[in-house]
Amino acid sequence: MPPSNKIVFASAGAGKTTEIVTQALSMRPRKVAIATFTLKNVEEIRRKLIELNGWVPPEITIYPWYTFVLHEMVRPYQGCVHQERVAGVHFAKGATRTYVQKADVARYYCDRENQAYSDRLGDFALLCNETSDGKVIRRLNDMFAHIFVDEVQDLARFDIDVLELLLRSPIAISLVGDIRQSTYRTSYATKNKKFCGRGFILKAEAWKKAGLCEVTYMAQSRRCIQPICDVADLIFPDLPKAQSKNESRTVHEGVFVVRTVHVEEYRRQYQPQVLRLDRRFGAGLPAENFGMVKGERLHASDTGY
């Protein structure tokens, strides 16, 4: 097993972004890549680099996940299977159903504008690597000494197979995520369905057993007080118990059950940030969806393709 391959499952507020950035900075002058799913987390990583280093050094490249797969895995060797340059990414709503055979590469992986379906992009990358006799991975190995993938709990379906391809490569790989914050999916195809979200732990343990990586836990939180950590642990009893490192104190803190008739009075008195599962919830109050707080979904106009 390459000793540098690792998967880290971190609690909310454990400082995983700081850890990734600190490690990436320590590897200079070697070049590293940091890939993550949400645009919000791309900006968070960039801000942390500037905070700790003053600027984003040229040795570190930050990618949204789809950008990494398209630019660095599909496009360089797509000519082995598809003659026209892939124009960008078609962000699929749910699982793509085109009812054509995989052998028809142009129609199976891309829409009429030659944009690759997001839920099949990972599979496209695997095909490019296989057909080019491994040139995709050899190129990445020439480019980067280390690849970090953050928010790994959001990667799904064929993207999980892309992660395994990376773990089996000569490149040092670090995968970091928080199973408790599994909000989005890179794909809604049926492939690897049981390994999505919290199920990713099962895949991580299988990779560990196969000798592909180490698996560790950052079971601490600088963001949450201990009562909130304890409630989160009740929802995920199989994970290590999180220990609060938050030493700040306020006049009103803890976990409370508020009756519906008291919600408006509670809001006026304490001015909390109201979070909800989706717009059907929230007791009619100004609120943010959990997903929007965690990160912003990629849109075609934002990717720079």
Side-chain angles (χ1 to χ4, degrees), residues 147-278:
I147 297 175
F148 296 87
V149 182
D150 196 11
E151 304 292 351
V152 73
Q153 75 280 349
D154 289 336
L155 272 59
R157 297 3 184 211
F158 287 107
D159 292 314
I160 292 177
D161 289 344
V162 171
L163 294 179
E164 181 164 334
L165 178 68
L166 293 172
L167 289 171
R168 293 184 181 277
S169 77
I171 313 164
I173 306 295
S174 294
L175 311 179
V176 185
D178 180 2
I179 297 301
R180 298 175 180 86
Q181 295 191 66
S182 178
T183 304
Y184 295 131
R185 296 284 188 275
T186 55
S187 170
Y188 288 88
T190 56
K191 175 78 172 180
N192 288 321
K193 184 176 181 180
K194 70 177 182 178
F195 299 128
C196 297
R198 70 173 66 189
F200 190 80
I201 291 179
L202 300 176
K203 177 56 75 173
E205 292 298 333
W207 285 336
K208 176 182 177 181
K209 186 176 181 180
L212 296 179
C213 63
E214 299 174 350
V215 178
T216 60
Y217 292 84
M218 294 176 65
Q220 61 187 29
S221 178
R222 297 182 177 87
R223 181 186 309 156
C224 302
I225 59 175
Q226 193 61 49
I228 294 177
C229 291
D230 293 341
V231 170
D233 289 337
L234 292 175
I235 302 172
F236 296 89
D238 296 334
L239 295 180
K241 303 298 183 185
Q243 298 297 315
S244 173
K245 300 297 182 180
N246 185 343
E247 299 180 354
S248 64
R249 291 294 176 264
T250 66
V251 295
H252 180 73
E253 60 184 32
V255 179
F256 307 93
V257 177
V258 181
R259 293 181 180 273
T260 303
V261 295
H262 299 146
V263 166
E264 181 56 33
E265 178 184 351
Y266 185 91
R267 188 187 70 85
R268 285 198 305 267
Q269 182 171 354
Y270 296 110
Q271 298 296 310
Q273 170 63 65
V274 181
L275 302 178
R276 64 189 179 190
L277 181 62
D278 60 43

Side-chain angles (χ1 to χ4, degrees), residues 32-144:
V32 304
I34 304 175
T36 188
F37 184 39
T38 66
L39 291 177
K40 182 175 181 180
N41 205 51
V42 168
E43 292 306 315
E44 182 182 354
I45 292 168
R46 182 174 287 110
R47 284 195 298 269
K48 183 58 69 172
L49 277 166
I50 294 172
E51 175 188 330
L52 296 182
N53 190 61
W55 72 92
V56 178
E59 299 91 346
I60 299 176
T61 307
I62 311 168
Y63 297 92
W65 175 252
Y66 292 133
T67 303
F68 175 74
V69 177
L70 177 63
H71 285 196
E72 309 301 355
M73 300 187 76
V74 170
R75 277 183 177 165
Y77 294 101
Q78 68 166 69
C80 296
V81 293
H82 182 44
Q83 297 308 309
E84 294 185 29
R85 184 176 186 270
V86 177
V89 176
H90 176 129
F91 294 96
K93 296 180 179 179
T96 298
R97 304 186 188 279
T98 55
Y99 304 105
V100 295
Q101 298 298 315
K102 278 190 174 184
D104 187 350
V105 172
R107 295 175 61 207
Y108 183 82
Y109 290 105
C110 300
D111 64 14
R112 293 181 179 179
E113 283 71 44
N114 203 34
Q115 293 188 330
Y117 296 113
S118 60
D119 58 333
R120 295 179 177 178
L121 186 61
D123 192 26
F124 199 178
L126 296 170
L127 178 64
C128 290
N129 186 67
E130 179 182 359
T131 309
S132 68
D133 194 26
K135 288 183 179 178
V136 171
I137 289 299
R138 289 201 293 274
R139 177 177 178 272
L140 287 174
N141 188 40
D142 289 339
M143 292 173 64
F144 301 114

